[in-house]
Structure formats: structure tokens, C-alpha cells
């Protein structure tokens, strides 16, 4: 118990600071991934002129290792675009890019899985194509893809451990600092792993419950 108290409990403020950064990185990354993935999906499906560009971006984001994207965004983008200007921003942007590629395909499958009759019924009621998309297609797509969205959240959380490589002071970075200070990794890394497991379990449980409640209220069944 002595080592646990000295290395984990007495260092809890450091680990909590790192956890807060991890949650911020993952939150920004997931929000940007959902928006980016939805935009790429809609461009691919409904903008023929830009479809090759959307497909190329999706395949690039999906086919590039997250570590490569992280280094690319952190070191190449500032030279080319002058942005991002911080390691924190580079971290969540890199995570968002890869997830956007996967979510674009998830959304595409969800949209294509909606019965054509739903859109035809909306058209017969006088809805425009944009109204049909916003009121009929997208709500059903988001509800149908909730399991994939939750899974992507867990992927982002686990991948976020790599942002420590570019000195973002996340949970993994802070735990490594403690290990490097005391050279006793067992307790620190075990506690870090437990925190990640608890975080993923809590988010998955909350997401599934929220999705179930929304489906029940809207009368939606998979």
C-alpha cells in the first residue's frame, strides 16, 4: 500500500490534470470528427463534382496510421498553413481526421440503409430535398449509427495516448512523468490503465442509455 499511496494517491492531482486534458482532446476530436465525417459523407453522396475529392480524403484519413497523421499535422501543417499553433490543437485535429474518415463511411451506410419510401413520402408532402435530408434522413441516420459512434469514441480515447509523443500533457504524459521520476512503473501504469477502462466504460454505458431513451421517445427501432 505504501507505493500506491506514494506513487498514485499522492500524485492524484497530476493524474487528474492529465485526465482533464485527455477529456478535452477527445471531446474536441470527436465533435470535429462527427462534423467532418458528415460533411465528407454528404459531399460524396450529393455533390458529384467533388465526389472524387471526398473519396480521396476519406481513404487517406482511413489508410494513414494515427501516429503518422499526428506527426504530419504537428510538424507539416504549421509550415504549410501556419496552423495549428499549439501541440494541443495538433493533437485533437489529428485524432479528428482519422475518425472523420471512418465516420464518413458509417454515415454513408446509415443513409443508404434508410428505405427509399421515407424520402418519397417526404417529397409527396411537399418537402424540399434539403428539408427531407434534415428532418427525415439525418435523424434516422444518427440514431442508427449510435453504436458505431460510441465505438469511435472509445477508439479516440485509446488513440489519444499518442498525443503525449508531441508533449501534450494528457493522462499518459503525466503518468510517464511520474514513472520517469520514481522509476517504479507498476502502480502508476496500472492506475492509468484502470482510469482509461473506467472512462471508456462510463462513456459507453451513458451513450447506450441515451440512445435507448431517444429511440424510445421517437418510436425508432433498429
Amino acid at each position: 500500500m505504501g507505493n500506491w499511496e506514494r506513487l498514485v494517491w499522492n500524485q492524484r492531482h497530476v493524474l487528474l490534470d492529465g485526465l482533464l486534458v485527455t477529456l478535452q482532446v477527445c471531446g474536441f476530436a470527436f465533435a470535429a470528427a462527427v462534423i467532418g465525417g458528415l460533411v465528407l459523407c454528404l459531399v460524396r453522396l450529393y455533390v458529384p463534382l467533388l465526389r472524387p475529392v471526398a473519396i480521396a480524403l476519406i481513404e487517406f484519413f482511413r489508410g494513414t496510421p494515427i501516429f503518422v497523421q499526428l506527426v504530419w499535422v504537428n510538424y507539416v501543417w504549421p509550415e504549410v498553413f501556419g496552423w495549428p499553433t499549439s501541440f494541443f490543437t495538433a493533437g485533437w485535429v489529428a485524432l479528428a481526421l482519422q475518425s472523420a474518415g471512418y465516420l464518413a463511411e458509417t454515415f454513408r451506410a446509415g443513409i443508404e440503409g434508410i428505405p427509399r419510401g421515407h424520402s418519397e413520402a417526404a417529397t409527396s408532402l411537399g418537402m424540399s430535398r434539403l428539408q427531407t435530408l434534415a428532418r427525415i434522413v439525418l435523424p434516422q441516420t444518427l440514431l442508427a449509427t449510435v453504436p458505431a459512434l460510441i465505438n469511435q469514441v472509445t477508439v479516440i480515447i485509446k488513440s489519444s495516448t499518442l498525443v503525449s509523443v508531441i508533449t501534450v500533457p494528457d493522462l499518459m504524459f503525466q503518468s510517464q512523468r511520474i514513472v520517469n521520476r520514481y522509476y517504479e512503473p507498476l502502480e502508476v501504469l496500472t492506475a492509468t490503465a484502470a482510469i482509461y477502462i473506467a472512462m471508456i466504460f462510463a462513456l459507453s454505458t451513458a451513450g447506450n442509455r441515451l440512445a435507448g431513451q431517444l429511440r424510445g421517445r421517437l418510436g425508432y427501432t433498429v
Side-chain angles (χ1 to χ4, degrees), residues 2-3 9 30-31 44 51 63 66 77 82 85 94 101 122 125 134 139 142 144 163 167 170 182 193:
N3 276 352
W9 179 250
F30 180 68
R44 178 171 184 170
R51 185 172 298 155
I66 182 60
W77 279 30
T85 57
L125 292 174
L142 292 175
V163 302
T167 68
D170 70 325
Y182 295 101

Side-chain angles (χ1 to χ4, degrees), residues 39-105:
V39 170
L40 287 172
C41 169
L42 295 177
V43 170
R44 178 171 184 170
L45 290 177
Y46 301 112
V47 187
L49 186 63
L50 297 178
R51 185 172 298 155
V53 176
I55 293 174
L57 289 174
I58 290 170
E59 295 304 319
F60 177 77
F61 294 153
R62 294 175 64 200
T64 310
I66 182 60
F67 179 76
V68 174
Q69 289 186 1
L70 183 64
V71 175
W72 177 55
V73 172
N74 186 61
Y75 294 109
V76 177
W77 279 30
E79 295 291 331
V80 178
F81 306 113
W83 184 87
T85 57
S86 69
F87 297 136
F88 176 85
T89 303
W92 69 258
V93 168
L95 292 173
L97 291 179
Q98 186 174 69
S99 291
Y102 285 105
L103 290 180
E105 291 298 278

Side-chain angles (χ1 to χ4, degrees), residues 109-131:
I111 290 174
E112 292 178 343
I114 296 175
R116 185 181 295 273
H118 292 196
S119 297
E120 294 174 348
T123 301
S124 68
L125 292 174
M127 288 188 181
S128 66
R129 189 174 184 179
L130 184 60
Q131 288 176 322

Side-chain angles (χ1 to χ4, degrees), residues 24 30 32 82 86 106 114-115 117 126 134 143 148-149 151 154 166 174 176 184 190 195 215:
Q24 291 174 337
F30 180 68
S86 69
T106 298
I114 296 175
L143 284 174
L149 291 173
N151 180 69
T154 65
I166 58 172
Q174 299 292 10
Q176 287 177 322
E184 296 184 72
T190 300
I195 293 172
R215 286 171 174 163

